[in-house]
Amino acid sequence: MNHKYIAFETIVIKEIRRFARIWLQTLVPPAMMIGLYFVIFGNLVGRRIGEMGGYQYMEFIVPGLIMMSVIQNSYSNVVSSFFSHKFQHSIEELLVSPVPNYVILCGFVAGGMARGLGVGIIVTLMSLFFVDLAIQNLAITIAVVLLTSIVFSLAGFINALFANSFDDISIVPTFVLTPLIYLGGVFYSVELLPPFWKFVSGLNPIFYMVNTFRYGILGTSDVDIVWAFLILLLFITLLYICCIVLLRRGTGLRS
Amino acid sequence: MTTAISIKNLQKTYANGFEALKGISLEVEQGDFFALLGPNGAGKSTTIGVISTLVNKTSGSVEVFGKNVDTHVYETKLDLGVVPQEVNFSQFEKVRDIVMTQAGYYGMPRQLASERCEKYLRKLGLWEKRSEKSRSLSGGMKRRLMIARALVHEPRLLILDEPTAGVDIELRRSMWEFLTEINKNGTTIILTTHYLEEAEQLCRNIAIIDEGNIIENTSMRKLLAELDSQVFILDTAIEIAADFDLGLENASVRKIDEHSVELLVPGGISINQVFSRFDQLGIKIDSMRNKTNRLEQLFLSKLNDNQN
């Protein structure tokens, strides 16, 4: 077996073992939080809202909530795991070994995807208690969720490289990621917004990801699907190049 | 003989302007047991950091078994095992998992990794602890775990940065035996340590680094031969007279108490002459020891010369 593949597999297994070992911190809280969204916003408040974008409010928010859990967990897994390796200096185990930078990156991204998609599946199963999900386009649904998970795993990796303290790994999720998710059309249709805010929403990449995922599940979307996939691929390319350049320079890793 | 490591004009200036290495050059032959000594902040760990690619050098070159570490990354890293000064494994992982993961990073198939893991954990007395979380290990066990981890891919060159710091005497001696054994089996070893007795016992060649410069690079034998005198403490079976005089030219004696004397023996006088003289005077020697470690005496003198 190729030594690079073995190294990649080792990183992925280590990452999965890490978040599985602390499942009470990594898997249960996000699932519980999204469950509360289902009960409060979807069920209790949603019944009074009625329809949104031509669907029952509960049906409308389910894709957004699944995507929200994938984004948050992909990001937080990579940023917290990689920063912990830096903090404990165990990242040196990897840096002294002959693992190429791209294998290190792909290993951590795959770990982030495993947790992001794992929580996404848990949330999807929970949603079945509240709505009947009939996926309209399975290929688009799977493709968009995978690509979105990659984007935020890469973003989490960059955050971890620059982070010097545990505060630094919570700033971006709290002050950047959460507002972008909430304003990314998870809870409302962009058609409800005035033209200016509709335009502003168009600048938010998460808006495209949520709507494309919603298209895959419900069959309707506020955005052009092709455009959304191009944005995703563009982000992946830019973030990947950025990560590789930073790794090569040793930013945040080598003195 | 092949050169295990060749460092040429290595310079490192940190972002804060501190010049840790000022153009050092050093060669270590294959199969050597080499001591890299120096006071704190002298540049030892920076040198190891550059060799193991944990520190970006400012200029110069490093070759491991004739291959440049910048251009032959995979080959040079395969040849290298590093035991750092500080514990650098996850405290939440099990002992076996730490070694197995490292083997995976080196691309070792699972079966081979498992065999090597067992081999080195047994050799280092950690096999019984294999299923325990690493944080539950004692300080000495953590150091041994780092050695097992560094050896799992069986590197040709092993670098140990103060491997016995804080380790008790018994454990330190068992680690010396283990390191001597792997060196005899062909592994080149570079050791940094603050225990000069350790360097003297184990190493054949030595470099002393101070303020970012190599101030001495020679064999242990040649270095120790530079000692122009040695100071011994002798315990005697009978009481020593107050006006005791050994009667050997240039050898001075100072009485410590009734049964012990401090004896300065210049380079030209052999220990046999000293013992003969005591014999002639009818004084039986119970025991004898160096007042200070010989290497320590030289080390301090070299540092003093450099700083003056």
Side-chain angles (χ1 to χ4, degrees), chain B residues 51-81:
Chain B
I51 296 168
S52 57
T53 71
L54 289 175
V55 173
N56 289 328
K57 66 180 187 293
T58 305
S59 65
S61 70
V62 178
E63 287 182 1
V64 174
F65 293 103
K67 287 177 179 157
N68 192 298
V69 295
D70 298 325
T71 53
H72 294 78
V73 179
Y74 178 70
E75 297 95 323
T76 52
K77 286 188 171 188
L78 266 188
D79 276 334
L80 194 63

PDB file of all heavy atoms in Angstrom, chain B residues 51-81:
ATOM      1  N   ILE B  51      17.507  20.446  11.865  1.00  0.00           N
ATOM      2  CA  ILE B  51      17.728  19.115  11.267  1.00  0.00           C
ATOM      3  C   ILE B  51      16.396  18.398  11.058  1.00  0.00           C
ATOM      4  O   ILE B  51      16.155  17.789  10.020  1.00  0.00           O
ATOM      5  CB  ILE B  51      18.652  18.251  12.171  1.00  0.00           C
ATOM      6  CG1 ILE B  51      20.040  18.878  12.284  1.00  0.00           C
ATOM      7  CG2 ILE B  51      18.771  16.829  11.624  1.00  0.00           C
ATOM      8  CD1 ILE B  51      20.912  18.257  13.371  1.00  0.00           C
ATOM      9  N   SER B  52      15.512  18.517  12.052  1.00  0.00           N
ATOM     10  CA  SER B  52      14.237  17.785  11.971  1.00  0.00           C
ATOM     11  C   SER B  52      13.144  18.590  11.276  1.00  0.00           C
ATOM     12  O   SER B  52      11.989  18.177  11.265  1.00  0.00           O
ATOM     13  CB  SER B  52      13.787  17.387  13.376  1.00  0.00           C
ATOM     14  OG  SER B  52      13.678  18.523  14.190  1.00  0.00           O
ATOM     15  N   THR B  53      13.497  19.747  10.723  1.00  0.00           N
ATOM     16  CA  THR B  53      12.608  20.645   9.967  1.00  0.00           C
ATOM     17  C   THR B  53      11.513  21.291  10.823  1.00  0.00           C
ATOM     18  O   THR B  53      10.527  21.796  10.290  1.00  0.00           O
ATOM     19  CB  THR B  53      11.953  19.977   8.729  1.00  0.00           C
ATOM     20  OG1 THR B  53      10.967  19.032   9.182  1.00  0.00           O
ATOM     21  CG2 THR B  53      12.943  19.296   7.821  1.00  0.00           C
ATOM     22  N   LEU B  54      11.695  21.306  12.119  1.00  0.00           N
ATOM     23  CA  LEU B  54      10.715  22.002  12.963  1.00  0.00           C
ATOM     24  C   LEU B  54      11.032  23.488  13.070  1.00  0.00           C
ATOM     25  O   LEU B  54      10.212  24.282  13.509  1.00  0.00           O
ATOM     26  CB  LEU B  54      10.699  21.388  14.378  1.00  0.00           C
ATOM     27  CG  LEU B  54      10.091  19.991  14.477  1.00  0.00           C
ATOM     28  CD1 LEU B  54      10.239  19.448  15.883  1.00  0.00           C
ATOM     29  CD2 LEU B  54       8.630  20.004  14.072  1.00  0.00           C
ATOM     30  N   VAL B  55      12.270  23.840  12.689  1.00  0.00           N
ATOM     31  CA  VAL B  55      12.690  25.244  12.708  1.00  0.00           C
ATOM     32  C   VAL B  55      13.191  25.590  11.308  1.00  0.00           C
ATOM     33  O   VAL B  55      13.955  24.823  10.720  1.00  0.00           O
ATOM     34  CB  VAL B  55      13.820  25.456  13.755  1.00  0.00           C
ATOM     35  CG1 VAL B  55      14.382  26.867  13.672  1.00  0.00           C
ATOM     36  CG2 VAL B  55      13.321  25.173  15.169  1.00  0.00           C
ATOM     37  N   ASN B  56      12.714  26.726  10.779  1.00  0.00           N
ATOM     38  CA  ASN B  56      13.189  27.178   9.466  1.00  0.00           C
ATOM     39  C   ASN B  56      14.546  27.848   9.639  1.00  0.00           C
ATOM     40  O   ASN B  56      14.673  28.777  10.433  1.00  0.00           O
ATOM     41  CB  ASN B  56      12.209  28.193   8.869  1.00  0.00           C
ATOM     42  CG  ASN B  56      10.906  27.537   8.442  1.00  0.00           C
ATOM     43  OD1 ASN B  56      10.879  26.384   8.034  1.00  0.00           O
ATOM     44  ND2 ASN B  56       9.816  28.265   8.558  1.00  0.00           N
ATOM     45  N   LYS B  57      15.529  27.384   8.891  1.00  0.00           N
ATOM     46  CA  LYS B  57      16.862  27.997   9.013  1.00  0.00           C
ATOM     47  C   LYS B  57      16.898  29.324   8.266  1.00  0.00           C
ATOM     48  O   LYS B  57      16.092  29.550   7.355  1.00  0.00           O
ATOM     49  CB  LYS B  57      17.925  27.045   8.471  1.00  0.00           C
ATOM     50  CG  LYS B  57      17.835  26.786   6.980  1.00  0.00           C
ATOM     51  CD  LYS B  57      18.918  25.834   6.556  1.00  0.00           C
ATOM     52  CE  LYS B  57      18.973  25.682   5.055  1.00  0.00           C
ATOM     53  NZ  LYS B  57      17.824  25.033   4.448  1.00  0.00           N
ATOM     54  N   THR B  58      17.856  30.173   8.656  1.00  0.00           N
ATOM     55  CA  THR B  58      18.032  31.443   7.944  1.00  0.00           C
ATOM     56  C   THR B  58      18.938  31.219   6.733  1.00  0.00           C
ATOM     57  O   THR B  58      18.656  31.702   5.637  1.00  0.00           O
ATOM     58  CB  THR B  58      18.641  32.502   8.902  1.00  0.00           C
ATOM     59  OG1 THR B  58      17.798  32.593  10.051  1.00  0.00           O
ATOM     60  CG2 THR B  58      18.738  33.861   8.247  1.00  0.00           C
ATOM     61  N   SER B  59      20.016  30.467   6.930  1.00  0.00           N
ATOM     62  CA  SER B  59      20.888  30.099   5.802  1.00  0.00           C
ATOM     63  C   SER B  59      21.715  28.879   6.184  1.00  0.00           C
ATOM     64  O   SER B  59      21.699  28.435   7.335  1.00  0.00           O
ATOM     65  CB  SER B  59      21.796  31.271   5.420  1.00  0.00           C
ATOM     66  OG  SER B  59      22.670  31.548   6.481  1.00  0.00           O
ATOM     67  N   GLY B  60      22.438  28.358   5.207  1.00  0.00           N
ATOM     68  CA  GLY B  60      23.257  27.166   5.449  1.00  0.00           C
ATOM     69  C   GLY B  60      22.580  25.920   4.916  1.00  0.00           C
ATOM     70  O   GLY B  60      21.507  26.002   4.302  1.00  0.00           O
ATOM     71  N   SER B  61      23.228  24.777   5.142  1.00  0.00           N
ATOM     72  CA  SER B  61      22.643  23.537   4.626  1.00  0.00           C
ATOM     73  C   SER B  61      22.807  22.396   5.629  1.00  0.00           C
ATOM     74  O   SER B  61      23.730  22.399   6.450  1.00  0.00           O
ATOM     75  CB  SER B  61      23.298  23.156   3.294  1.00  0.00           C
ATOM     76  OG  SER B  61      24.631  22.757   3.537  1.00  0.00           O
ATOM     77  N   VAL B  62      21.873  21.455   5.551  1.00  0.00           N
ATOM     78  CA  VAL B  62      21.933  20.262   6.398  1.00  0.00           C
ATOM     79  C   VAL B  62      21.745  19.044   5.502  1.00  0.00           C
ATOM     80  O   VAL B  62      20.800  18.992   4.698  1.00  0.00           O
ATOM     81  CB  VAL B  62      20.814  20.280   7.473  1.00  0.00           C
ATOM     82  CG1 VAL B  62      20.866  18.999   8.308  1.00  0.00           C
ATOM     83  CG2 VAL B  62      20.938  21.493   8.379  1.00  0.00           C
ATOM     84  N   GLU B  63      22.665  18.102   5.615  1.00  0.00           N
ATOM     85  CA  GLU B  63      22.522  16.844   4.870  1.00  0.00           C
ATOM     86  C   GLU B  63      22.456  15.679   5.845  1.00  0.00           C
ATOM     87  O   GLU B  63      23.208  15.647   6.826  1.00  0.00           O
ATOM     88  CB  GLU B  63      23.716  16.647   3.925  1.00  0.00           C
ATOM     89  CG  GLU B  63      23.677  17.574   2.722  1.00  0.00           C
ATOM     90  CD  GLU B  63      24.837  17.341   1.773  1.00  0.00           C
ATOM     91  OE1 GLU B  63      25.662  16.446   2.035  1.00  0.00           O
ATOM     92  OE2 GLU B  63      24.916  18.052   0.765  1.00  0.00           O
ATOM     93  N   VAL B  64      21.535  14.760   5.577  1.00  0.00           N
ATOM     94  CA  VAL B  64      21.431  13.539   6.382  1.00  0.00           C
ATOM     95  C   VAL B  64      21.782  12.376   5.459  1.00  0.00           C
ATOM     96  O   VAL B  64      21.130  12.192   4.421  1.00  0.00           O
ATOM     97  CB  VAL B  64      19.998  13.391   6.955  1.00  0.00           C
ATOM     98  CG1 VAL B  64      19.835  12.056   7.669  1.00  0.00           C
ATOM     99  CG2 VAL B  64      19.687  14.532   7.923  1.00  0.00           C
ATOM    100  N   PHE B  65      22.828  11.650   5.805  1.00  0.00           N
ATOM    101  CA  PHE B  65      23.358  10.559   4.974  1.00  0.00           C
ATOM    102  C   PHE B  65      23.525  11.018   3.513  1.00  0.00           C
ATOM    103  O   PHE B  65      23.101  10.344   2.576  1.00  0.00           O
ATOM    104  CB  PHE B  65      22.473   9.314   5.076  1.00  0.00           C
ATOM    105  CG  PHE B  65      22.515   8.699   6.448  1.00  0.00           C
ATOM    106  CD1 PHE B  65      21.464   8.892   7.335  1.00  0.00           C
ATOM    107  CD2 PHE B  65      23.604   7.964   6.878  1.00  0.00           C
ATOM    108  CE1 PHE B  65      21.512   8.361   8.616  1.00  0.00           C
ATOM    109  CE2 PHE B  65      23.665   7.432   8.164  1.00  0.00           C
ATOM    110  CZ  PHE B  65      22.612   7.621   9.033  1.00  0.00           C
ATOM    111  N   GLY B  66      24.105  12.198   3.385  1.00  0.00           N
ATOM    112  CA  GLY B  66      24.460  12.721   2.061  1.00  0.00           C
ATOM    113  C   GLY B  66      23.321  13.355   1.289  1.00  0.00           C
ATOM    114  O   GLY B  66      23.514  13.798   0.162  1.00  0.00           O
ATOM    115  N   LYS B  67      22.130  13.426   1.904  1.00  0.00           N
ATOM    116  CA  LYS B  67      20.985  14.008   1.184  1.00  0.00           C
ATOM    117  C   LYS B  67      20.506  15.263   1.898  1.00  0.00           C
ATOM    118  O   LYS B  67      20.353  15.265   3.122  1.00  0.00           O
ATOM    119  CB  LYS B  67      19.855  12.989   1.080  1.00  0.00           C
ATOM    120  CG  LYS B  67      20.195  11.904   0.083  1.00  0.00           C
ATOM    121  CD  LYS B  67      19.137  10.862   0.005  1.00  0.00           C
ATOM    122  CE  LYS B  67      19.541   9.828  -1.044  1.00  0.00           C
ATOM    123  NZ  LYS B  67      18.917   8.561  -0.847  1.00  0.00           N
ATOM    124  N   ASN B  68      20.278  16.288   1.078  1.00  0.00           N
ATOM    125  CA  ASN B  68      19.866  17.578   1.618  1.00  0.00           C
ATOM    126  C   ASN B  68      18.440  17.500   2.181  1.00  0.00           C
ATOM    127  O   ASN B  68      17.539  17.001   1.502  1.00  0.00           O
ATOM    128  CB  ASN B  68      19.945  18.627   0.502  1.00  0.00           C
ATOM    129  CG  ASN B  68      19.813  20.026   1.048  1.00  0.00           C
ATOM    130  OD1 ASN B  68      18.799  20.385   1.630  1.00  0.00           O
ATOM    131  ND2 ASN B  68      20.856  20.813   0.867  1.00  0.00           N
ATOM    132  N   VAL B  69      18.252  18.013   3.391  1.00  0.00           N
ATOM    133  CA  VAL B  69      16.931  17.909   4.025  1.00  0.00           C
ATOM    134  C   VAL B  69      15.871  18.771   3.323  1.00  0.00           C
ATOM    135  O   VAL B  69      14.675  18.535   3.479  1.00  0.00           O
ATOM    136  CB  VAL B  69      16.962  18.280   5.533  1.00  0.00           C
ATOM    137  CG1 VAL B  69      17.782  17.300   6.336  1.00  0.00           C
ATOM    138  CG2 VAL B  69      17.441  19.700   5.754  1.00  0.00           C
ATOM    139  N   ASP B  70      16.323  19.771   2.547  1.00  0.00           N
ATOM    140  CA  ASP B  70      15.359  20.628   1.841  1.00  0.00           C
ATOM    141  C   ASP B  70      14.888  19.997   0.532  1.00  0.00           C
ATOM    142  O   ASP B  70      13.743  20.184   0.132  1.00  0.00           O
ATOM    143  CB  ASP B  70      15.989  21.994   1.514  1.00  0.00           C
ATOM    144  CG  ASP B  70      16.372  22.744   2.775  1.00  0.00           C
ATOM    145  OD1 ASP B  70      15.631  22.616   3.770  1.00  0.00           O
ATOM    146  OD2 ASP B  70      17.404  23.436   2.765  1.00  0.00           O
ATOM    147  N   THR B  71      15.784  19.265  -0.118  1.00  0.00           N
ATOM    148  CA  THR B  71      15.433  18.735  -1.436  1.00  0.00           C
ATOM    149  C   THR B  71      15.065  17.251  -1.413  1.00  0.00           C
ATOM    150  O   THR B  71      14.394  16.768  -2.319  1.00  0.00           O
ATOM    151  CB  THR B  71      16.605  18.942  -2.431  1.00  0.00           C
ATOM    152  OG1 THR B  71      17.782  18.392  -1.847  1.00  0.00           O
ATOM    153  CG2 THR B  71      16.822  20.417  -2.720  1.00  0.00           C
ATOM    154  N   HIS B  72      15.504  16.522  -0.386  1.00  0.00           N
ATOM    155  CA  HIS B  72      15.164  15.091  -0.277  1.00  0.00           C
ATOM    156  C   HIS B  72      14.373  14.869   1.014  1.00  0.00           C
ATOM    157  O   HIS B  72      14.809  14.148   1.917  1.00  0.00           O
ATOM    158  CB  HIS B  72      16.436  14.237  -0.277  1.00  0.00           C
ATOM    159  CG  HIS B  72      17.180  14.276  -1.567  1.00  0.00           C
ATOM    160  ND1 HIS B  72      17.976  15.323  -1.925  1.00  0.00           N
ATOM    161  CD2 HIS B  72      17.237  13.390  -2.601  1.00  0.00           C
ATOM    162  CE1 HIS B  72      18.504  15.094  -3.118  1.00  0.00           C
ATOM    163  NE2 HIS B  72      18.068  13.933  -3.553  1.00  0.00           N
ATOM    164  N   VAL B  73      13.236  15.519   1.066  1.00  0.00           N
ATOM    165  CA  VAL B  73      12.461  15.549   2.318  1.00  0.00           C
ATOM    166  C   VAL B  73      12.085  14.135   2.768  1.00  0.00           C
ATOM    167  O   VAL B  73      12.301  13.760   3.922  1.00  0.00           O
ATOM    168  CB  VAL B  73      11.187  16.421   2.131  1.00  0.00           C
ATOM    169  CG1 VAL B  73      10.366  16.447   3.422  1.00  0.00           C
ATOM    170  CG2 VAL B  73      11.583  17.831   1.738  1.00  0.00           C
ATOM    171  N   TYR B  74      11.536  13.350   1.854  1.00  0.00           N
ATOM    172  CA  TYR B  74      11.041  12.021   2.235  1.00  0.00           C
ATOM    173  C   TYR B  74      12.173  11.118   2.722  1.00  0.00           C
ATOM    174  O   TYR B  74      12.092  10.536   3.814  1.00  0.00           O
ATOM    175  CB  TYR B  74      10.310  11.390   1.037  1.00  0.00           C
ATOM    176  CG  TYR B  74       9.807  10.003   1.330  1.00  0.00           C
ATOM    177  CD1 TYR B  74       8.744   9.814   2.225  1.00  0.00           C
ATOM    178  CD2 TYR B  74      10.382   8.880   0.742  1.00  0.00           C
ATOM    179  CE1 TYR B  74       8.286   8.537   2.521  1.00  0.00           C
ATOM    180  CE2 TYR B  74       9.930   7.602   1.020  1.00  0.00           C
ATOM    181  CZ  TYR B  74       8.876   7.445   1.909  1.00  0.00           C
ATOM    182  OH  TYR B  74       8.431   6.190   2.208  1.00  0.00           O
ATOM    183  N   GLU B  75      13.247  11.033   1.952  1.00  0.00           N
ATOM    184  CA  GLU B  75      14.355  10.131   2.303  1.00  0.00           C
ATOM    185  C   GLU B  75      15.032  10.537   3.614  1.00  0.00           C
ATOM    186  O   GLU B  75      15.324   9.685   4.458  1.00  0.00           O
ATOM    187  CB  GLU B  75      15.427  10.108   1.189  1.00  0.00           C
ATOM    188  CG  GLU B  75      14.957   9.566  -0.144  1.00  0.00           C
ATOM    189  CD  GLU B  75      14.506  10.668  -1.074  1.00  0.00           C
ATOM    190  OE1 GLU B  75      13.898  11.660  -0.594  1.00  0.00           O
ATOM    191  OE2 GLU B  75      14.739  10.550  -2.285  1.00  0.00           O
ATOM    192  N   THR B  76      15.267  11.853   3.785  1.00  0.00           N
ATOM    193  CA  THR B  76      15.977  12.286   4.988  1.00  0.00           C
ATOM    194  C   THR B  76      15.116  12.087   6.236  1.00  0.00           C
ATOM    195  O   THR B  76      15.627  11.718   7.292  1.00  0.00           O
ATOM    196  CB  THR B  76      16.435  13.759   4.881  1.00  0.00           C
ATOM    197  OG1 THR B  76      15.312  14.561   4.530  1.00  0.00           O
ATOM    198  CG2 THR B  76      17.511  13.934   3.852  1.00  0.00           C
ATOM    199  N   LYS B  77      13.819  12.312   6.093  1.00  0.00           N
ATOM    200  CA  LYS B  77      12.951  12.133   7.272  1.00  0.00           C
ATOM    201  C   LYS B  77      12.812  10.656   7.643  1.00  0.00           C
ATOM    202  O   LYS B  77      12.657  10.333   8.818  1.00  0.00           O
ATOM    203  CB  LYS B  77      11.581  12.762   7.015  1.00  0.00           C
ATOM    204  CG  LYS B  77      11.629  14.281   7.077  1.00  0.00           C
ATOM    205  CD  LYS B  77      10.258  14.888   7.023  1.00  0.00           C
ATOM    206  CE  LYS B  77      10.325  16.379   7.311  1.00  0.00           C
ATOM    207  NZ  LYS B  77       9.016  16.981   7.444  1.00  0.00           N
ATOM    208  N   LEU B  78      12.860   9.792   6.643  1.00  0.00           N
ATOM    209  CA  LEU B  78      12.792   8.348   6.929  1.00  0.00           C
ATOM    210  C   LEU B  78      14.000   7.899   7.741  1.00  0.00           C
ATOM    211  O   LEU B  78      13.919   6.974   8.542  1.00  0.00           O
ATOM    212  CB  LEU B  78      12.767   7.555   5.620  1.00  0.00           C
ATOM    213  CG  LEU B  78      11.422   7.156   5.041  1.00  0.00           C
ATOM    214  CD1 LEU B  78      11.632   6.220   3.876  1.00  0.00           C
ATOM    215  CD2 LEU B  78      10.499   6.522   6.060  1.00  0.00           C
ATOM    216  N   ASP B  79      15.144   8.573   7.495  1.00  0.00           N
ATOM    217  CA  ASP B  79      16.392   8.195   8.171  1.00  0.00           C
ATOM    218  C   ASP B  79      16.517   8.773   9.571  1.00  0.00           C
ATOM    219  O   ASP B  79      17.480   8.499  10.275  1.00  0.00           O
ATOM    220  CB  ASP B  79      17.594   8.688   7.341  1.00  0.00           C
ATOM    221  CG  ASP B  79      17.948   7.702   6.241  1.00  0.00           C
ATOM    222  OD1 ASP B  79      17.648   6.518   6.406  1.00  0.00           O
ATOM    223  OD2 ASP B  79      18.519   8.130   5.223  1.00  0.00           O
ATOM    224  N   LEU B  80      15.582   9.632   9.935  1.00  0.00           N
ATOM    225  CA  LEU B  80      15.732  10.418  11.154  1.00  0.00           C
ATOM    226  C   LEU B  80      14.673  10.089  12.203  1.00  0.00           C
ATOM    227  O   LEU B  80      13.486   9.985  11.885  1.00  0.00           O
ATOM    228  CB  LEU B  80      15.598  11.902  10.744  1.00  0.00           C
ATOM    229  CG  LEU B  80      16.027  12.960  11.715  1.00  0.00           C
ATOM    230  CD1 LEU B  80      17.507  12.861  11.997  1.00  0.00           C
ATOM    231  CD2 LEU B  80      15.704  14.336  11.126  1.00  0.00           C
ATOM    232  N   GLY B  81      15.108   9.921  13.447  1.00  0.00           N
ATOM    233  CA  GLY B  81      14.178   9.792  14.573  1.00  0.00           C
ATOM    234  C   GLY B  81      14.553  10.849  15.588  1.00  0.00           C
ATOM    235  O   GLY B  81      15.737  11.070  15.852  1.00  0.00           O
TER     236      GLY B  81
END
